Amino acid sequence: MKMFLQTTWPLEGNREIVVQRFPFVIGRRSDSDCSLSLAFVSRRHCEFTRTGDDVLVQDLESYNGTFVNGKRASTPLPVSHGDELKIGPCSFRVSVQHDTAEGPALAVEPPAAAGFAARKSNMDDASTLNSDGSPFAPLLPNASQN
């Protein structure tokens, strides 16, 4: 199973985080599985774990919090395809790709090397709404990346 966390924030190469091993820690420390050197990210901000086919995220007592669809992840919360994950104020869209040997595959294409525009749009899908009901901004490649 792979999980893709995609954002429109200018995160210097981390606009898409690929989670394919568990546990997986996101934090500001360089020894994190994914290091985000941003002031609002705690040294060990959140951790992803896997139980069977479920991926869970838990905030690691960070100052700015970790949220799934607006709910604070102070205890492990399930993370599913289409969810909005917020690390402090930075919002990510979750995409899950199941390995074919693990069960039914979701219709998720792997990210294109050139950017996010190659991914099929699902703007009419309810999964593209933020917790407040507003549409999640589509991910478009940054002109400086091409």
Side-chain angles (χ1 to χ4, degrees), residues 25-26 42 44-47 58-63 66 73:
V25 173
I26 295 176
S42 294
R44 288 180 41 85
H45 198 97
C46 63
E47 180 178 47
Q58 182 172 5
D59 187 76
L60 298 175
E61 299 180 10
S62 71
Y63 185 78
T66 304

Side-chain angles (χ1 to χ4, degrees), residues 69 81-84 93 121-136:
N69 298 326
H81 183 75
D83 283 349
E84 177 191 32
R93 178 63 59 200
S121 172
N122 60 349
M123 289 301 293
D124 296 330
D125 185 347
S127 70
T128 61
L129 299 179
N130 288 312
S131 58
D132 65 359
S134 63
F136 189 76

Side-chain angles (χ1 to χ4, degrees), residues 34-119:
C34 177
S35 179
L36 297 176
S37 50
L38 300 166
F40 58 81
V41 175
S42 294
R43 282 177 240 141
R44 288 180 41 85
H45 198 97
C46 63
E47 180 178 47
F48 294 88
T49 56
R50 186 172 171 191
T51 305
D53 288 337
D54 296 327
V55 176
L56 305 171
V57 65
Q58 182 172 5
D59 187 76
L60 298 175
E61 299 180 10
S62 71
Y63 185 78
N64 291 305
T66 304
F67 302 85
V68 178
N69 298 326
K71 184 175 179 184
R72 191 172 191 126
S74 51
T75 60
L77 289 179
V79 181
S80 302
H81 183 75
D83 283 349
E84 177 191 32
L85 175 80
K86 288 184 84 172
I87 295 176
C90 184
S91 182
F92 292 87
R93 178 63 59 200
V94 176
S95 297
V96 178
Q97 181 180 17
H98 290 277
D99 296 331
T100 55
E102 292 181 5
L106 295 175
V108 177
E109 298 173 15
F116 305 117
R119 200 173 283 252

Side-chain angles (χ1 to χ4, degrees), residues 2 4 9 16 20 26 33 62 77 83 89 105 112 116-117 129 133 135 143-144:
K2 285 185 186 178
F4 303 95
W9 276 61
E16 180 169 77
Q20 52 188 344
I26 295 176
D33 296 303
S62 71
L77 289 179
D83 283 349
F116 305 117
L129 299 179
S144 65

